[in-house]
Structures are given as structure tokens and as C-alpha cells.
Amino acid sequence: MTEKLFYEDSHRTEFTAKVISCEEAKDDFCVVLDQTAFFPEGGGQYADTGILGNTEVTDVHEKNDVIFHSVTAPLEVGSIISGKINWKERFEKMQQHTGEHIVSGIVHERFGYNNVGFHLGADYCTMDFDGPISKAQLKEIETAANEAVYRNLEVEVLYPSKEELKDMDYRSKIEIEGQVRIVKIPGYDVCACCAPHVKTTGEIGAVKLVSMVSYKGGERITMLCGRRAMRDYEKKDAMTKEISTMLCAKEYEVAEAVGRLKNEQTRMKSQIAELQQKLLKFCVAEIPVDEKIVTVFDGSLSGNLPREMMNQLLDKGAVICAVFAGTDEEGYRYVIGSRSEDVRSISKTLNSTLEGRGGGKPEMVQGSVKGTEDAVKEIIARYQQPDDKSCSRKKL
């Protein structure tokens, strides 16, 4: 059994311990100490990292009350070594985890929902609740959680007897055997938990509920606390300032400025579409339709314009029309159509010869190919002869 120093003092960062065992593992070494301040993975919280002696601790896990440290180099059995946890990482985790207790307690008390899932990652924290929460309610929960932070309440750790536990109203996701460890935040939450927490709620710094999505009939909320919330704010603040400068707008007016820009973009897109249609008609008027297959290459065509050009050329009298949009370097999108011929064989030849993809109905095919304009023209030339029956389509 390993003595768990992180339960005696969650803020302890350094300690000394005796090496009980050291065994070589697949990619590292597994070390057991008589006592440790390293918290193992558990309760939705990932393990501490840090230093043992002169080697790095990369992972920590617990089995049958024994804590195993994964280290990068062997340690001498029986030696006394010093250990130091990564305090910045640990403190951030404690901020998130204690913040989760407050939020979960508020949700449970106000709505009766249970926290059915908790994940504390390296840069984010998520909580899953088994009931719906509106955006307005999410804001109310965040405000109430920060009120708990401002009150700087003591985070209590209790080890009740079985008799005391029977009369205690507390949250727990699983049935727990043996001694139950209770983390209590007066007025907000009472929950069974094995992880270390901050000593007072003021140490959380701030609680920010950054997003919420529907999940398995309930809600998944993403939360940032303390330093993580501050980094998130700093990043968003820098982005807001940059956008403010680009738009020549005050920081608190960037949303309005973006809205005006979006409306202007919508108006300009409409104008561009009208001009493209007019230009398309002029281009079609200049294209002769005396060949069996009228072939057009135009890198400026986008969206539905290739198809519209094809239809207009067919209306003009083209037997078959093939429009290619793109470049030799990037490849070409194509649309090929006819009112009287089966054009699928052209598509099949293009695809098989030029690493293409696509297909369609007898009267129209669409796809893309890799190759040069000259290579495409060479294939189209095979179908240009008026007596070529490969493009014929039996009329019903």
C-alpha cells in the first residue's frame, strides 16, 4: 500500500520517498514508492507528471492501493529519492475539477440532472448531464458558479463512517467499496471523489462555460477555469483587437461591423452573379457550334456556370457540348451534355485515361480529371467525326 501524500496536502509539490520496487516495462520502467505526492489517473482526471530522482515521470496509475509510476530510467531499489510534481499542471487540473464540482452541484440542485460523464483533458474539460439545458440557463449556471468562487469558500474533505454515510446526501456515479472520500463545497455540492482539489473556491479564479452541445438526450458542456479561462480570454481578446483594427471599428462594435460586412458581401455576390450571367451570354454568343462536339476551356467558370454554359450552347444548336473549368496544374472539372446523343462513353474514356472521376445519365455527365488541356482535346477529337457511332443514342 502506498501512502498518498496528495490527500494530506493537495498543494504539496515536493517529497522524499523510498523505492520499494523498480521493474522494466515495455517502453519504460515501473516504480513503486512507500509514499508519493503523484496523483494517479482516476475520477475523470489524468495523472500527474514530474520528476523522480533524475528521471521523468510520464504516467501514474493505481491498483489495489498501490501506486505505480512510469519513469524513463531505472531507480535503485531501497534508495531514498526526491520527487517533484509538475505544479502548474496539477494546479490547473485542481481548478478545473473543483469548478466541475460547483457546476455539477448547481445543475443537480436546480434541475435535478446528474453528471453522467466527466473528462478532464490537457486543454479542456467536459461535463455530460442527463437533461436539457437552455442557453439562458447555461448563463445562469455560470453566474452562480462564479458567485461560489467569489465567496472563497473552504473546500472540505470528509471521511465519514458507514453510519454517517447512510444519512448523508451526496452525489456519486458508482458504488464505492471501503472508505468513501467526500468533497464538500458548502452550499453548492457534496460529492464522492478521489481527486485532489483546491483549498478554497477563490483559487479557481473564474469559471467559464464556453460551449454546449446536445449529447445522448442531455447536454455536454465544455468548461474552462482559472488559468485556462484566462488563456482563452487572452487569445479571444487578441483576435478581437486584430479584427477591430482591420474593420476600423471599436472592440465592442466588431459584431455589428461584421454584420454590415456580411450584408455587403451578400449584396456584392448578387451583383457578381448578375454580371456573370450577362458575361456568360456574351461568351456563348461568340462560340461557334459547327463542330459535332463544342468544347470550351475556361478557368474562370465556377459553381454552376459550366453547366449553364453547356445548356446555353445546346440551346444555340450544339449537338454535344463539353465545358472544362480549371487549369493544367490543378486539373479540370467537366460537364458534358447533349439533347440527342449518349455522352457517357466520353466520360468513361476521360476518367480511365486521365485519372478522372464522375458519370451521369445519357444526356449529361459531370466529373473531374487530371491532365492538360491538350490531353483532353486529344480524347475529345476521337469523338468528333460525324459518323462516329460511339456517342449515338437510340431514340425511343
Side-chain angles (χ1 to χ4, degrees), residues 131-318:
I133 296 172
S134 68
K135 291 183 179 179
Q137 290 170 336
L138 185 71
K139 188 62 182 177
E140 292 174 4
I141 294 165
E142 181 182 272
T143 299
N146 281 292
E147 285 297 328
V149 173
Y150 306 151
R151 292 177 65 185
N152 199 29
L153 301 167
E154 181 182 356
V155 178
E156 302 174 13
V157 178
L158 309 174
Y159 294 91
S161 65
K162 290 184 179 181
E163 290 72 24
E164 292 172 326
L165 200 62
K166 290 179 182 178
D167 299 325
M168 186 177 290
D169 184 17
Y170 67 98
R171 294 188 304 111
S172 179
K173 300 187 188 72
I174 59 174
E175 291 292 330
I176 303 172
E177 297 182 0
Q179 178 64 63
V180 177
R181 181 175 184 266
I182 297 293
V183 175
K184 179 180 178 180
I185 301 173
Y188 290 90
D189 191 42
V190 181
C191 181
C193 185
C194 63
H197 296 75
V198 296
K199 293 182 177 180
T200 64
T201 58
E203 290 184 290
I204 298 172
V207 176
K208 187 63 184 174
L209 306 181
V210 294
S211 67
M212 178 176 65
V213 295
S214 297
Y215 182 74
K216 294 184 178 180
E219 305 292 345
R220 170 168 286 181
I221 297 174
T222 300
M223 177 186 71
L224 298 173
C225 292
R227 289 173 177 167
R228 293 186 183 182
M230 179 57 71
R231 287 197 296 269
D232 182 67
Y233 169 80
E234 290 171 348
K235 184 175 181 178
K236 290 175 180 175
D237 182 55
M239 292 171 63
T240 301
K241 284 180 167 62
E242 186 175 350
I243 295 170
S244 170
T245 301
M246 289 189 289
L247 297 178
C248 297
K250 295 179 180 179
E251 291 179 29
Y252 290 117
E253 298 174 356
V254 292
E256 295 177 8
V258 170
R260 290 192 296 270
L261 191 63
K262 184 178 180 180
N263 291 335
E264 177 67 14
Q265 182 189 44
T266 301
R267 186 182 65 80
M268 292 182 67
K269 280 184 176 181
S270 178
Q271 289 181 343
I272 291 171
E274 291 178 6
L275 292 172
Q276 284 177 328
Q277 291 296 328
K278 292 179 180 179
L279 180 61
L280 191 65
K281 291 181 179 180
F282 284 117
C283 291
V284 168
E286 297 295 319
I287 299 173
V289 293
D290 49 356
E291 292 186 324
K292 179 181 179 182
I293 304 178
V294 177
T295 307
V296 180
F297 288 85
D298 191 335
S300 67
L301 297 176
S302 61
N304 291 325
L305 290 178
R307 184 172 178 174
E308 292 181 24
M309 174 177 275
M310 177 202 72
N311 284 324
Q312 290 186 31
L313 286 168
L314 291 177
D315 291 339
K316 189 178 177 181

Side-chain angles (χ1 to χ4, degrees), residues 340-353:
S340 60
E341 306 291 328
D342 187 338
V343 297
R344 290 177 295 181
S345 62
I346 303 176
S347 174
K348 290 178 181 179
T349 304
L350 285 169
N351 294 342
S352 62
T353 307

